[in-house]
Amino acid sequence: MVFQDFDQISERRRLERKQKFRKRVTIVVVSLFALLIIIAAGVFAIISSNNHKQNQKNEPSKSSESAKPESSQASGIQSIIQSVCNATTYKDACHSSLKKAVEDQPSSSAQPKDILKLAIKSTNDELSKVFEKAKTLKFDSPREKAAFEDCTELIGDAKEELEKSVFGAGGKMEELVKNEGDLNNWLSAVMSYQQTCIDGFPEGKLKSDMEKMFNSSKELTSNSLAMVSELSGFYSNFQISKPGRRLLSEESGGSRLDEDGIPEWMGQEERRILKGADKDKPTPNVTVAKDGSGQFNTISAALAAMPAKYEGRYVIYVKEGVYDETVMVTKKMVNVTIYGDGSQKSIVTGNKNFADGVQTFRTATFAALGDGFLAKAMGFRNTAGPEKHQAVAIRVQADRSVFLNCRFEGYQDTLYAQTHRQFYRSCVVSGTIDFIFGDAAAIFQNCQIFVRKPMENQQTIVTAQGRVDSHETTGIVLQNCHIQPDKDLIPTKMTVKNYLGRPWKDYSRTIIMETIIEDFIHPEGWLAWEGEKGLKTLYYAEFNNKGAGSKTNGRVKWAGYHVIGKEVANKFTVMPFLQGDWITAVGAPVHFGLN
């Protein structure tokens, strides 16, 4: 018994020594990890400090902001402000706005995420001031008055998305990383709304005055976008996971599917719809029919009857017919599905146009503003004709919008991909000049692009992307599409100059990849907008295209034009560019990578 007890004691002591050793190892590992973080933070601070010193050489006006703060907390805040402002384009505006914001809220903690929230709040405050100043201007002509009415709506949208951005900046740094895609999406839209407001005014002194007024708020919006990327990138270097981003399985082409073949994370109402016998024609809430066989004769009436606080997806079935009406899916109408009997059978049509005195923004036959919008087997037309200039068939502002097997017909400015994330699959788009345009992050996959015959002495241009700032995460991507002449252009296709795109704004971004480009496209491929405007700052790229018009040896020699490889092209596929796991939620076919 004595030896047995001694053995037990020895074993117990051995285990205790083993546990102590493990604790020491754990302490060492944790200490090393903490040391690495401290070193990384130090390196980040040194780099930021060096960058700031270099910037001070180039920008001596900032030297007054380097005065020593009165407290250690203030010192920490000023250090963070200095670091994040180094990543922005408009550093003076960054320093001055954040300095004032911190003074107004002295209790703010010295955390980068708090500085970001203050930056976004400062942008919102500045936008309010700008708009109040704009109200004091005198608007004489009907077009000026109409432009200001549009501006009122656009700035309201901008302020709403700035408020969402403040909330999305999150309480923890993990939330900032998780929400990076949404924050970039919302803030890019805010930038676009301001520019659209300015663009609505006719050329002249009033427009110049408006542009000057919005200069400060646009700079602050740009800075907020830069901070999102800078802070999220810094945190990601420490391998903080993005819990909100769902991993995609190869089998599903998207999110994990349940036993019914439906993404597991979808809502119950959407599950109910997709479990119907015919997924292409889900059970509708209401039916629209011109012959009186449905509950409504117009699409607008069906939308007006939608409950104010409807839970789930509201489905409208549009029977075969041509519906001559102006339709708007408002921002309050979220998760609306509209499907028809075919894109050449169920058609919404109109003929509003710029030549008749209507703002381009208001010429759209159909406007989709409510998030989560889905259209299937529908046609959208503007029949104004090429002589009426800007005449939009559809304007899309809805975030996470999907169009399947739809048809968009017009001439100049057919499809206005205005803002947010948009996905088009197996659609047909036709037009003459800038007929796919806007400042959305939009991918057109497996689509047919038809170039129609323009008026005499006109050129045709497929795209006119409107990115106004280098930090915006927007652009037009044509993937696995077919760019071809329409039947009316074929007889004269070699006498008309036809181009893939031109830079509507300075940072215009368009990528055409894995697409068939027929021989009617001019060898230079791309057209300047006006002089040297945007030629150094735009981003136009081509990858692995096919067809006689895809040869790149004769393309433009602009600094912003690129022939890219697979690694770069992958950045413009559905997941990285649109954070596109939401596309599978509506049962849409989608290809997530390159062919």
Side-chain angles (χ1 to χ4, degrees), residues 17 38 149 165 176 183 397 443 464 509-510 563 566 571:
R17 286 196 300 271
I38 292 169
E149 288 177 6
S165 298
L176 172 60
L183 287 166
Q397 183 181 322
I443 292 182
R509 180 160 63 179
T510 302
V563 177
K566 188 174 183 179
K571 296 177 181 179

Side-chain angles (χ1 to χ4, degrees), residues 395-517:
R395 174 168 67 91
V396 185
Q397 183 181 322
D399 190 24
R400 294 173 286 104
S401 52
V402 176
F403 294 84
L404 304 175
N405 302 110
C406 290
R407 193 177 188 93
F408 310 94
E409 299 177 6
Y411 290 88
Q412 184 171 346
D413 292 0
T414 302
L415 195 161
Y416 187 0
Q418 184 187 352
T419 55
H420 297 123
R421 294 165 290 197
Q422 306 177 15
F423 180 70
Y424 299 78
R425 173 81 179 199
S426 301
C427 293
V428 174
V429 191
S430 68
T432 52
I433 299 172
D434 307 334
F435 61 94
I436 300 175
F437 77 109
D439 193 23
I443 292 182
F444 293 78
Q445 199 173 85
N446 294 26
C447 292
Q448 301 291 315
I449 312 297
F450 287 100
V451 180
R452 305 176 85 167
K453 182 181 179 181
M455 293 191 296
E456 291 293 327
N457 300 318
Q458 281 189 331
Q459 302 166 112
T460 69
I461 307 103
V462 177
T463 66
Q465 206 279 331
R467 186 166 166 254
V468 297
D469 187 85
S470 62
H471 299 294
E472 283 188 80
T473 55
T474 59
I476 291 171
V477 179
L478 305 184
Q479 182 186 14
N480 197 34
C481 294
H482 188 174
I483 301 173
Q484 57 201 294
D486 199 12
K487 59 183 179 181
D488 64 350
L489 179 62
I490 290 175
T492 57
K493 68 179 183 178
M494 303 315 291
T495 61
V496 176
K497 289 185 177 180
N498 307 286
Y499 297 91
L500 298 171
R502 61 175 178 165
W504 182 25
K505 302 299 178 186
D506 285 344
Y507 293 90
S508 180
R509 180 160 63 179
T510 302
I511 298 89
I512 300 178
M513 54 191 192
E514 302 178 325
T515 288
I516 298 171
I517 304 174

Side-chain angles (χ1 to χ4, degrees), residues 251-266 270-271 274-275 279 584-588:
E251 293 78 7
S252 66
S255 300
R256 184 175 296 176
L257 307 182
D258 64 14
E259 59 185 10
D260 294 304
I262 298 171
E264 289 182 346
W265 55 277
M266 282 179 53
E270 290 171 326
R271 287 172 178 274
L274 290 181
K275 285 181 180 179
K279 291 183 181 179
T584 61
V586 292

